[in-house]
Amino acid sequence: MGNPKISVIVPIYNTQKFLKKCVDSILNQTYKDFELLLMVDGSPDNCLAICNEYAKKDQRVIVVNKENEGLEKTRRVGLGYAKGEYITHIDSDDWVDVTALEKMITAAESSNADVVIAKFTRVMDRFGLLKKPSPYNLPHNFMLDNATFMNDYFIGFFGINKFSISMWAKLYKKSFIDQQNIAIGGFDMGEDLYYNIQVFPHASKIHFIDAPIYFYRFGGMTTKLNEKIIEAAIGMYNLKKKSIEQYNKSDYTKWIVIEMINYLKSYVKMMVEYKSHDQDFIFQTIDKLLERAEIKEVIAIAKDYEHYKNDAFVKALVEKNKPELVAIQTAIYNKEKFKKSLIRTVSNWLK
C-alpha cells in the first residue's frame, strides 16, 4: 500500500471535551485516502487515552505522544511524521465539514496549487450553536499567481482582512513546504501568521475555494492574564517590519502600527479584566511598555495619523496618561461583559 494522499496533523493539548467531535469529523470524510496524525503534546487530561482508542479502531490513525512543547513545535514534529503528498492542519477543539478533504484535494489537483485556501465558520459559543461565516468574499476557484498575490493579497498578513492567515482551512503541497526554510518564532500567539508569512511569498500558485469547510471555535478559554501575549505582539511587529523591508512594502507600515495600537488596547483591557484589584501592577506594566523601543516607535508614528485624530486612547498614550488609558478600556470591557453575558444566556436557552 502506497503513502496516503493527505496527512492531517492535529496538535492536542487539554481539549478532551472537544476532541471526539474533531476526530470523528475527520474520520467520517467523504475522501478516504489520508492519514490522521494525532499529536498529543504532553496533555494532562484524558486526550491520550481517547486517541489510543481511535488508533485501535482505524489504521489511518497514528498517535504520537510527546513532551509538552506548544502548538508551533508540535505542528513541526507532526510534519516530520507526515507521509502524504499534501498537508492540512486541524486544531483539536475545532471540526471540519464531511467534504473538507475532498473539496481541498480536488482544487489542489485541478490547478497544481502549492496552497489551497478554503473558507471557515466561526463558532461563537461552546455548544456550537451560534455561528458566524468568515468575512472573506473571494470568488470560487479563484487562482492567484505569485506576482498577483504579492501585489494584491500579501497585505493580508499586515492587518488587512483579505483572507484567513490561519494554518487551518488550508491544504499545502508537502513538496513545496519541504523546500522552505521555515523558522520557528517561539511566540505564544501568532504561530499561524509566523508560519504563513514565510511560506506564501514563495508559492507559485494559490487556489481559493468558496467553501466553508472548517468550524473554528472562536475565543478560547483564557481565565487569566497571559503576560507573554504583549511580547508576542511586539515580536509580530518586528517580524512584519522585517518583511516590509524584505519585500519593499513601505506602504504597509501604517497597518502594522494600527495593529500594534489595537494590541495595546486589548492588553490594557485584559489587565482590567484580570488584574483590576492590582492597580500598581497595571500602572507599572504600562510604564514598562511605554519604555519599549517598538512601542515608542509606534506611538511616534500613530500620533500623526488622521486615523487617530480623535482617538482618546492614542492621545493618552502620547501623554503617558495611565489612569485615562485604564478608564477608557474599563468602559469598553464593561460593555463587552454585558454582551458576553447575553450570549451565554441565549446559548444556554438554546441548549
Side-chain angles (χ1 to χ4, degrees):
M1 183 177 178
N3 289 336
K5 181 68 73 171
I6 301 173
S7 294
V8 181
I9 299 175
V10 180
I12 300 166
Y13 183 80
N14 209 25
T15 52
Q16 66 177 24
K17 64 181 178 180
F18 301 122
L19 184 56
K20 289 184 178 180
K21 184 176 182 67
C22 174
V23 175
D24 287 341
S25 75
I26 299 166
L27 295 179
N28 292 328
Q29 290 291 299
T30 55
Y31 186 84
K32 305 298 183 183
D33 188 11
F34 66 88
E35 63 176 355
L36 173 54
L37 296 167
L38 298 178
M39 309 297 299
V40 184
D41 185 32
S43 187
D45 59 5
N46 200 40
C47 283
L48 178 59
I50 294 171
C51 291
N52 285 335
E53 284 301 312
Y54 278 105
K56 291 177 184 177
K57 299 173 183 176
D58 195 316
Q59 64 180 0
R60 296 173 298 177
V61 177
I62 300 165
V63 180
V64 178
N65 185 30
K66 56 184 287 297
E67 64 178 349
N68 180 250
E69 295 179 291
L71 175 63
E72 185 177 37
K73 288 187 178 179
T74 299
R75 283 173 170 165
R76 301 299 179 90
V77 172
L79 189 62
Y81 279 87
K83 297 178 180 178
E85 293 180 38
Y86 294 87
I87 306 292
T88 192
H89 299 272
I90 300 173
D91 287 353
S92 59
D93 54 348
D94 299 336
W95 73 95
V96 288
D97 182 81
V98 69
T99 63
L101 297 184
E102 181 180 355
K103 287 176 178 175
M104 289 194 295
I105 194 66
T106 298
E109 293 187 326
S110 69
S111 60
N112 195 28
D114 291 320
V115 185
V116 174
I117 303 177
K119 295 178 75 173
F120 66 93
T121 299
R122 288 190 181 96
V123 180
M124 309 302 291
D125 70 306
R126 62 185 176 133
F127 303 114
L129 299 171
L130 301 176
K131 299 182 177 72
K132 183 178 180 180
S134 55
Y136 314 108
N137 294 312
L138 295 166
H140 187 52
N141 286 331
F142 182 47
M143 286 293 302
L144 292 177
D145 59 21
N146 182 268
T148 305
F149 176 81
M150 293 302 293
N151 287 335
D152 300 334
Y153 289 88
F154 186 53
I155 196 171
F157 289 113
F158 299 85
I160 303 300
N161 285 334
K162 285 281 190 172
F163 63 96
S164 167
I165 53 93
S166 67
M167 290 174 68
W168 39 257
K170 293 175 179 61
L171 189 72
Y172 301 85
K173 185 187 293 182
K174 189 172 187 295
S175 60
F176 163 67
I177 292 297
D178 288 343
Q179 293 171 7
Q180 312 309 315
N181 184 21
I182 307 169
I184 291 179
F187 303 127
D188 274 12
M189 58 174 263
E191 303 96 340
D192 294 41
L193 182 146
Y194 193 86
Y195 186 90
N196 280 330
I197 202 172
Q198 297 178 78
V199 167
F200 274 65
H202 303 287
S204 297
K205 292 181 182 179
I206 298 170
H207 190 153
F208 291 94
I209 58 174
D210 184 26
I213 54 92
Y214 193 97
F215 294 89
Y216 161 59
R217 292 188 191 272
F218 183 74
M221 298 174 282
T222 302
T223 57
K224 62 181 180 178
L225 177 67
N226 184 348
E227 296 173 37
K228 295 181 181 179
I229 286 177
I230 197 66
E231 289 299 325
I234 292 171
M236 286 292 105
Y237 174 81
N238 285 326
L239 169 68
K240 292 179 183 184
K241 185 178 175 182
K242 181 180 177 180
S243 295
I244 285 170
E245 295 169 356
Q246 180 179 357
Y247 297 108
N248 298 312
K249 300 288 187 180
S250 58
D251 53 324
Y252 290 3
T253 299
K254 173 182 178 181
W255 303 114
I256 66 170
V257 167
I258 291 173
E259 190 175 47
M260 192 68 229
I261 292 292
N262 289 337
Y263 276 127
L264 288 171
K265 290 178 177 180
S266 295
Y267 193 64
V268 173
K269 181 157 62 68
M270 286 179 68
M271 288 194 289
V272 166
E273 181 174 1
Y274 299 115
K275 292 286 187 177
S276 60
H277 61 284
D278 193 349
Q279 187 165 297
D280 287 343
F281 171 86
I282 295 176
F283 283 0
Q284 288 169 12
T285 301
I286 293 173
D287 276 334
K288 290 176 183 177
L289 285 174
L290 292 175
E291 289 304 311
R292 296 289 295 268
E294 295 91 346
I295 303 302
K296 287 182 177 180
E297 179 179 85
V298 164
I299 294 171
I301 297 172
K303 68 182 178 63
D304 295 324
Y305 283 171
E306 182 67 20
H307 181 84
Y308 290 122
K309 182 178 180 180
N310 298 312
D311 192 298
F313 188 88
V314 172
K315 183 174 183 291
L317 281 175
V318 172
E319 296 172 353
K320 298 185 177 181
N321 188 337
K322 292 173 288 188
E324 182 64 11
L325 290 170
V326 172
I328 292 166
Q329 296 310 105
T330 298
I332 292 172
Y333 166 67
N334 287 335
K335 288 181 181 178
E336 291 180 353
K337 185 178 180 181
F338 173 77
K339 184 178 179 181
K340 288 178 182 178
S341 176
L342 184 61
I343 289 174
R344 280 196 300 270
T345 300
V346 172
S347 89
N348 285 331
W349 178 73
L350 290 172
K351 185 180 176 182

